[in-house]
């Protein structure tokens, strides 16, 4: 028996049949060439993968262009698509000038790698879209972001159609962004549009029909139709867009149902929507729908806040004979965090009642309590005008309210009566845990008027106190909320404080109430230096000069 010797001294049988069986049993293709580049051996897998290459074929002229080019250029590897398969080959030199090409079918390997890359791309797209949509709390901005995010990754044109709410919105509003447009554009479509675009009506009602691509032309056996199915899309597409390839319709779903629909349009030259495209578009539309619902909720809250805020603005001060008054008010910078600072003046035959208070907390609860306190004062002052007795009645009225409505809601309050006298004003002040008002005399002396008392609504048997003070002509009484003294600037963590307030009052001594209030507000604004303030309320009263 003929044998050959391999490096290391082990003998191998030189059996051509055995060698052929070994080569044909390999999972990869093997081609060998002689020193002239002609094929001398083709194993079974090579015959299956590259049937055009047989013994005697000159590889530089073989039908596999990438292989022929690699041989001609002396390259040791090639990649090629051949008969629907992805082939990858490497070359190894044999003895003499002979060569062996080892070729593998890497179609599935490539498919898995492509699928992984595609999945990573989809995940990155959804993450990017989610971050962008989460930053927007305005309805129109959400719709614009939805269309711009979808193009060109998902489609050539994206059209968002918020669901109309008849009869207020008889027409269908749309926002469109197309590849090549500088910015989204919007318009109105016919009310009949949902019934003429396949899948759109279902998307508006929650997408009971499964989302999917809509062909641009009818099937041959579907019978004659007067227009193509996408004729009604012409008003939604950019001028000169041309024929439509495929359309995918998805509902903009949220927890409350469908908020509208998203139309994705591709040109005829682009591959249609496959199953993975449809799933990705459905997930993207769901995220856009959730963002739209969040924006709608924020819009409703902002509208409610504006309504409440406007209802809580201090009223115009009445004209009271013998009394000069001025009010000052600054709302908190965040309109959704509605505060509860307020003041009221109720004229009567002898002068007036006044109230200045600060409801603890922020938001709707504080606004509701503020409204309840003010409405209660409006009613109770008709039966009682003595400050101490009136504050007791108010405390009782708040405790008579349902438990859930008053729980953990307190109000600091000053209630005062202004009675005209021949030489000035007699002032009685009842206190409910509020900062003491400040008496500013004409010579610039600033004195706190101690009142004390417990916050209104703290206890059913709360204790309140009353004090009296006389205002001579030229004297002024300032009541204020803690938003004045607790104001903090952006650079200095210290509060504005009572010392700075007193200094501002000393500088404004002898001036009328309106000028003094303006002086204090400007001092606080300077301290804030552009920082959004907390709520601030002030009421300054003085005796009018004799006629």
């Amino acid at each position: 028996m003929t044998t050959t010797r391999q490096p290391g001294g082990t003998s191998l049988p030189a059996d051509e049949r055995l060698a052929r069986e070994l080569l044909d049993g390999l999972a990869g293709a093997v081609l060998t060439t002689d020193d002239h580049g002609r094929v001398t051996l083709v194993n079974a897998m090579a015959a299956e993968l590259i049937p055009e290459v047989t013994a005697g074929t000159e590889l530089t002229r073989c039908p596999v262009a990438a292989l022929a080019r690699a041989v001609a250029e002396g390259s040791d590897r090639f990649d090629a698509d051949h008969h629907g398969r992805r082939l990858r080959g490497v070359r190894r030199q044999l003895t003499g000038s002979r060569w062996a090409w080892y070729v593998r079918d890497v179609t599935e390997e490539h498919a898995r790698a492509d699928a992984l890359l595609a999945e990573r791309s989809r995940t990155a797209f959804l993450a990017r879209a989610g971050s962008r949509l989460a930053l927007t709390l305005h309805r129109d901005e959400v719709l614009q972001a939805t269309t711009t995010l979808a193009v060109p990754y998902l489609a050539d044109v994206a059209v968002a159609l918020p669901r109309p709410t008849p009869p207020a919105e008889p027409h269908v509003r749309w926002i469109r962004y197309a590849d090549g447009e500088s910015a989204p554009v919007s318009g109105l479509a016919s009310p009949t549009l949902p019934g003429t675009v396949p899948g759109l009506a279902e998307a508006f009602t929650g997408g009971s029909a499964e989302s999917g691509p809509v062909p641009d032309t009818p099937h041959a056996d579907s019978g004659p139709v007067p227009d193509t199915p996408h004729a009604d899309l012409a008003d939604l597409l950019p001028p000169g867009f041309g024929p439509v390839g495929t359309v995918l319709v998805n509902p903009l779903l949220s927890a409350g149902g469908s908020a509208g629909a998203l139309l994705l349009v591709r040109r005829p030259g682009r591959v249609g929507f496959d199953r993975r495209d449809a799933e990705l578009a459905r997930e993207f539309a769901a995220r856009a729908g959730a963002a739209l619902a969040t924006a709608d909720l924020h819009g409703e809250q902002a509208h409610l806040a504006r309504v409440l805020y406007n209802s809580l603005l201090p009223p115009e001060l009445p004209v009271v004979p013998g009394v000069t008054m001025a009010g000052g008010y600054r709302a908190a910078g965040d309109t959704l965090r509605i505060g509860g600072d307020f003041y009221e003046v109720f004229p009567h035959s002898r002068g007036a009642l006044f109230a200045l208070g600060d409801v603890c907390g922020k938001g709707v609860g504080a606004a509701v309590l503020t409204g309840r306190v003010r409405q209660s004062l409006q009613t109770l002052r008709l039966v009682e005008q003595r400050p101490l007795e009136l504050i007791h009645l108010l405390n009782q009225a708040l405790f008579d309210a349902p438990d859930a409505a008053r729980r953990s809601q307190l109000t600091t309050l000053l209630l005062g009566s202004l009675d005209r006298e021949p030489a000035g004003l007699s002032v009685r002040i009842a206190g409910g845990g509020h900062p003491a008002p400040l008496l500013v005399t004409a010579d610039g002396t600033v004195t706190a008027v101690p009142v004390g008392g417990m916050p209104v609504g703290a206890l059913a048997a709360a204790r309140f106190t009353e004090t009296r003070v006389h205002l001579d002509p030229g004297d002024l009484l300032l009541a204020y909320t803690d938003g004045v003294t607790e104001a903090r600037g952006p650079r200095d963590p210290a509060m504005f404080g009572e010392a700075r307030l007193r200094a501002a009052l000393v500088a404004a001594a002898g001036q009328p109430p309106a000028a003094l209030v303006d002086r204090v507000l400007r001092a606080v604004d300077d301290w804030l230096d552009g920082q959004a303030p907390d709520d601030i309320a002030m009421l300054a009263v003085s005796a009018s000069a004799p006629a």
Side-chain angles (χ1 to χ4, degrees):
M1 182 175 70
T2 304
T3 60
T4 61
R5 187 169 297 277
Q6 69 172 0
T10 304
S11 297
L12 295 174
D15 188 330
E16 291 185 5
R17 179 177 297 178
L18 177 58
R20 168 58 66 177
E21 290 178 355
L22 291 173
L23 287 171
D24 288 345
L26 295 176
V30 179
L31 303 172
T32 62
T33 62
D34 58 19
D35 52 359
H36 298 293
R38 290 187 176 86
V39 175
T40 57
L41 182 145
V42 179
N43 76 339
M45 184 55 71
E48 179 181 338
L49 295 180
I50 318 174
E52 300 89 349
V53 177
T54 58
T57 300
E58 187 175 343
L59 282 186
T60 55
R61 298 180 179 178
C62 77
V64 184
L67 174 57
R69 186 165 54 254
V71 173
E73 296 174 355
S75 176
D76 289 332
R77 61 182 64 247
F78 77 91
D79 285 276
D81 292 313
H82 191 61
H83 293 315
R85 296 178 177 180
R86 183 73 172 177
L87 304 181
R88 176 171 297 161
V90 295
R91 185 178 71 164
R92 296 289 184 267
Q93 188 170 11
L94 304 177
T95 58
S97 298
R98 295 177 301 164
W99 297 87
W101 281 95
Y102 301 93
V103 183
R104 291 189 304 122
D105 182 355
V106 294
T107 305
E108 292 185 2
E109 181 181 324
H110 257 262
R112 287 193 296 271
D114 290 344
L116 178 60
L117 290 175
E119 189 60 34
R120 287 177 177 173
S121 176
R122 295 185 184 101
T123 302
F125 168 75
L126 287 176
R128 185 171 65 254
S131 298
R132 170 85 176 278
L133 291 170
L135 294 175
T136 304
L137 289 175
H138 190 278
R139 180 180 178 84
D140 282 351
E141 291 178 359
V142 170
L143 293 170
Q144 291 175 9
T146 299
T147 57
T148 55
L149 284 166
V151 176
Y153 190 83
L154 292 176
D156 298 306
V157 178
V159 183
L161 300 102
R163 188 177 64 178
T165 55
E169 297 177 0
H171 289 81
V172 179
R173 182 167 172 263
W174 53 264
I175 296 90
R176 180 198 72 221
Y177 182 70
D179 194 13
E181 287 186 321
S182 59
V185 296
S186 61
L188 295 175
S190 167
T192 62
L193 179 68
T196 57
V197 177
L200 187 54
E202 291 83 353
F204 278 154
T205 58
S208 56
E210 189 170 324
S211 300
V214 183
D216 186 45
T217 55
H219 295 293
D221 58 356
S222 62
V225 291
D227 297 295
T228 63
H230 293 322
D232 291 282
L233 286 180
D235 292 339
L236 306 182
L237 299 177
F241 181 79
V244 173
T246 51
V247 176
L248 191 63
V249 183
N250 279 285
L252 296 171
L253 288 176
S254 66
S258 175
L262 176 64
L263 271 65
L264 301 175
V265 182
R266 289 184 176 178
R267 297 179 184 274
R270 186 169 177 177
V271 176
F273 297 97
D274 60 17
R275 180 183 61 84
R276 293 293 294 148
D277 290 337
E279 291 175 354
L280 178 63
R282 187 179 299 114
E283 175 65 21
F284 171 68
R287 297 193 181 197
L292 193 60
T294 301
D296 287 343
L297 178 60
H298 181 270
E300 292 173 3
Q301 291 177 335
H303 174 70
L304 175 62
R306 286 192 296 271
V307 171
L308 288 174
Y309 171 77
N310 290 331
S311 70
L312 296 176
L313 287 175
E316 184 177 350
L317 292 176
V319 175
V320 178
V323 181
T324 303
M325 294 180 290
Y329 184 76
R330 287 279 192 278
D334 186 351
T335 56
L336 290 181
R337 297 178 67 249
I338 307 168
D341 292 16
F342 67 94
Y343 60 79
E344 294 274 4
V345 175
F346 310 108
H348 57 65
S349 58
R350 303 178 311 279
L353 281 171
F354 72 87
L356 183 137
D358 182 1
V359 170
C360 298
K362 301 289 181 184
V364 175
V368 171
L369 182 58
T370 302
R372 182 180 297 123
V373 170
R374 293 173 68 177
Q375 289 297 322
S376 298
L377 286 172
Q378 284 274 10
T379 303
L380 294 174
R381 57 103 180 180
L382 298 176
V383 297
E384 179 59 72
Q385 296 180 354
R386 294 171 296 175
L388 185 59
E389 287 74 7
L390 180 55
I391 200 169
H392 275 289
L393 285 176
L394 175 64
N395 189 68
Q396 181 181 343
L398 293 179
F399 268 88
D400 288 342
D403 183 72
R406 64 165 177 80
R407 187 184 297 123
S408 300
Q409 293 184 342
L410 312 177
T411 303
T412 65
L413 185 67
L414 291 177
L415 272 176
S417 66
L418 305 171
D419 293 323
R420 289 185 299 273
E421 292 185 344
L425 292 173
S426 175
V427 183
R428 297 169 60 186
I429 307 172
H434 198 82
L438 298 176
L439 173 62
V440 185
T441 61
D443 61 2
T445 302
V446 178
T447 307
V449 180
V451 179
M454 299 176 64
V456 177
L459 294 172
R463 294 191 301 272
F464 304 105
T465 59
E466 183 180 273
T467 190
R468 295 173 181 263
V469 66
H470 186 272
L471 297 183
D472 293 324
D475 292 345
L476 181 146
L477 184 71
L478 176 70
Y480 61 93
T481 59
D482 58 13
V484 175
T485 54
E486 295 180 2
R488 296 178 187 270
R491 292 184 298 272
D492 192 335
M495 295 187 293
F496 183 74
E498 186 173 332
R500 292 183 179 85
L501 173 59
R502 285 172 174 262
L505 295 177
V506 169
Q511 298 184 15
L516 183 139
V517 167
D518 183 66
R519 179 68 174 263
V520 173
L521 286 176
R522 282 191 285 111
V524 173
D525 289 341
D526 291 342
W527 183 255
L528 290 169
D529 193 20
Q531 187 88 348
D534 194 2
D535 287 334
I536 291 174
M538 290 186 290
L539 181 64
V541 297
S542 67
S544 300

